[in-house]
Amino acid sequence: MSRHLIDSVPHGWDELGTDLLDGAPAALRRRLIGDDTYPSRPIDMTNVIVVGPQPEEHEPVTQDGIGDLQWAYVLHPHGIEVIALQAHDRGPVVAWDTDPRSRITAHPAAWHPGTRAPITAPRTAPRPPTATTASAPRTTARR
């Protein structure tokens, strides 16, 4: 994930695509995106005018500023920290094993540091009766 998100682009992402799901189980891919596929798109720097010195290949976020960024993501061994930069300097961590079908709130005000990530697990459909349940002896008389 870090190789795709960080090492493969010089400036950042305009949009993350379905290529992030390459290698995921086919049933999960279908559930998340159906037949839709589109690649991730890096920020297009061809029409950007930079006044002053040209930026380095990677522009790190530092304590001196965040520029125009709205979100930051810190990859940890246990999950990804999501930081709403306009409101906070830290954020909650989303564990790597979070179900990708979960509903995730995209409003920056919901991502407070020191709280659980604003994620709602997906609803699961009730399971159909198993063969043992269906073949259990009846306790009532047939009519």
Side-chain angles (χ1 to χ4, degrees):
M1 181 66 79
S2 64
R3 193 170 25 258
H4 179 83
L5 294 176
I6 298 168
D7 298 339
S8 65
V9 294
H11 297 288
W13 294 99
D14 190 35
E15 180 179 22
L16 293 174
T18 60
D19 52 339
L20 284 177
L21 297 172
D22 288 354
L28 179 61
R29 265 184 84 85
R30 268 192 312 280
R31 173 96 190 251
L32 293 174
I33 60 172
D35 293 328
D36 193 18
T37 59
Y38 54 93
S40 297
R41 289 186 305 125
I43 294 173
D44 182 5
M45 298 297 286
T46 57
N47 294 320
V48 174
I49 300 172
V50 177
V51 178
Q54 292 294 316
E56 298 176 22
E57 262 192 42
H58 290 279
E59 295 182 67
V61 174
T62 68
Q63 62 194 21
D64 298 327
I66 58 170
D68 293 330
L69 297 177
Q70 296 175 348
W71 296 92
Y73 306 94
V74 180
L75 306 179
H76 296 281
H78 56 284
I80 183 168
E81 182 178 359
V82 181
I83 306 168
L85 291 173
Q86 303 303 326
H88 308 291
D89 59 354
R90 300 295 309 184
V93 174
V94 178
W96 290 119
D97 63 354
T98 299
D99 189 325
R101 299 169 299 160
S102 301
R103 292 188 180 272
I104 300 174
T105 302
H107 195 281
W111 292 85
H112 296 282
T115 63
R116 291 185 57 202
I119 296 173
T120 305
R123 289 183 284 166
T124 56
R127 292 184 178 187
T130 61
T132 25
T133 306
S135 63
R138 294 182 181 266
T139 55
T140 58
R142 282 194 180 166
R143 293 187 190 204

